[in-house]
Amino acid sequence: VIVSGGIDITNAWITNPAPYANGNGWTLSADATFDAGNQCAEYWNKGGATIKQTLTNLPKGAYKLTAIALTRTGRVATLSAGEASMNIVTIDNGTVNSRGQANTWFNAGNGINDLNFTLDAAAASLEIGLTADNTTSDYWMVWRSFSLTYYGDPINLAKAALAEAVANAE
């Protein structure tokens, strides 16, 4: 499947990409609440908690890891792939206050967190996942799913872009 110039490789590399029904394929550092009916899972007052998975044998290249997830304004949660990381979407307290409201908010196309990263060499293993900040009071992180898109070897992509630019200039 081609997605915006990349190849969606989610199902080939990520076990259980929508871990809201159970944690299979994922390592959780604390008890999470799984809610299959609302298609999401949460950590409540569990700062520093993580949901992680180790991917193996990824080829060299450019990637995008997407997580549908949120945390509250004033709190920090990160999406990571190896050494690359970013803060996930935050929402104001009072905007979304339950897993049901999070489900509706996600269904409206919100909570998309895209982390672009590059592997300069094939990776024997690469850890991906979400990490809550270290606060424990009134902390809330909710997630729905993860996806992985492969864009190819960045050197070959750059060569192709240069060749196209030269051809267009002639």
Side-chain angles (χ1 to χ4, degrees):
V1 177
I2 302 297
V3 180
S4 301
I7 301 169
D8 182 347
I9 61 170
T10 302
N11 292 323
W13 259 276
I14 298 178
T15 301
N16 188 18
Y20 51 77
N22 59 54
N24 292 341
W26 296 88
T27 301
L28 291 92
S29 66
D31 290 334
T33 301
F34 297 100
D35 187 340
N38 283 307
Q39 300 179 343
C40 59
E42 70 180 354
Y43 279 133
W44 173 254
N45 288 341
K46 295 182 185 346
T50 61
I51 173 171
K52 302 279 183 179
Q53 184 171 140
T54 300
L55 309 182
T56 58
N57 301 315
L58 284 173
K60 171 182 173 180
Y63 292 86
K64 177 175 66 178
L65 175 65
T66 300
I68 306 300
L70 67 87
T71 193
R72 288 211 169 114
T73 300
R75 303 293 187 240
V76 176
T78 55
L79 171 64
S80 62
E83 298 298 316
S85 67
M86 64 173 278
N87 292 345
I88 67 168
V89 170
T90 61
I91 58 162
D92 290 334
N93 199 2
T95 304
V96 174
N97 288 310
S98 69
R99 292 184 304 271
Q101 289 175 349
N103 180 38
T104 299
W105 195 73
F106 291 150
N107 285 342
N110 299 305
I112 298 170
N113 301 276
D114 289 330
L115 174 63
N116 295 304
F117 66 97
T118 301
L119 298 175
D120 295 329
S125 66
L126 180 78
E127 188 176 79
I128 64 167
L130 294 166
T131 302
D133 72 3
N134 291 324
T135 64
T136 55
S137 175
D138 194 35
Y139 185 83
W140 192 44
M141 179 173 73
V142 183
W143 66 88
R144 169 175 280 175
S145 62
F146 296 81
S147 63
L148 187 63
T149 304
Y150 178 66
Y151 292 93
D153 183 334
I155 299 298
N156 290 337
L157 293 172
K159 286 179 183 177
L162 178 60
E164 182 179 348
V166 167
N168 290 337
E170 293 175 344

